[in-house]
Amino acid sequence: MRLTAQTDFGLRLLMYVAAHRPRRVTIQEVSRNLDLSQAHLMRIAANLVSAGFLRSSRGRVGGLELAHEPNRITVGDVVRALEADVSLVECFPPRNGPCRLAPACRLKGVLERASQAFFEELDKATLEDLVDPNDQRLIRLIGAVT
């Protein structure tokens, strides 16, 4: 499975916000520090707000902040929220595309188990696991102040 750029950038955005807690961060700041498109980040942030991972506030002291503690946000939940289609092959829901092999296919079961294992692993990892405040390399890379 290959994750979309939206999911990749969304996870990076969440990591950045988590690393800078408790202060709010702006899209401009994240764009500058992570070298990501500001317009793209705005769309992704809106999706993360809609999905309930981030809160957004306007004004002079506005910005983005986590809507939940980092240990309550799993990577699996974020991937499910940002990926429009996580089906591995055409015959998986929601596509349910036609396949001549379907009546005797054993591949679908193998791929379903692999996809399930993938998400089980992602569900074990939380945002807190990804952003260790003691990891000085990460702190330097994302400009977090400790």
Side-chain angles (χ1 to χ4, degrees):
M1 172 177 280
R2 181 178 177 93
L3 300 179
T4 62
Q6 172 176 269
T7 302
D8 177 20
F9 296 171
L11 287 165
R12 290 193 235 176
L13 173 58
L14 287 169
M15 290 172 64
Y16 190 93
V17 174
H20 288 83
R21 289 177 70 232
R23 92 174 164 80
R24 292 184 182 111
V25 301
T26 65
I27 293 292
Q28 295 83 3
E29 172 190 344
V30 177
S31 173
R32 182 179 60 250
N33 288 316
L34 296 184
D35 196 25
L36 299 173
S37 160
Q38 189 170 325
H40 202 63
L41 279 173
M42 287 174 63
R43 286 189 300 274
I44 293 166
N47 290 339
L48 290 169
V49 169
S50 292
F53 297 110
L54 289 177
R55 278 194 297 262
S56 175
S57 55
R58 296 183 181 271
R60 196 171 55 89
V61 292
L64 299 169
E65 63 185 337
L66 294 180
H68 306 283
E69 292 298 315
N71 65 347
R72 294 192 47 224
I73 299 173
T74 71
V75 175
D77 287 341
V78 175
V79 170
R80 284 182 193 91
L82 294 180
E83 287 292 321
D85 181 5
V86 294
S87 56
L88 292 179
V89 289
E90 190 69 27
C91 62
F92 279 24
R95 295 187 212 163
N96 295 320
C99 177
R100 294 183 58 122
L101 301 178
C105 183
R106 294 183 183 166
L107 177 61
K108 184 174 180 177
V110 170
L111 294 176
E112 284 175 338
R113 288 189 300 277
S115 179
Q116 183 178 12
F118 176 73
F119 278 102
E120 284 174 4
E121 245 351 92
L122 294 182
D123 288 338
K124 292 177 189 175
T126 67
L127 190 54
E128 182 177 67
D129 296 327
L130 302 180
V131 183
D132 179 357
N134 297 316
D135 184 344
Q136 292 305 307
R137 291 177 307 156
L138 179 65
I139 301 305
R140 279 193 306 278
L141 289 171
I142 60 177
V145 278
T146 56

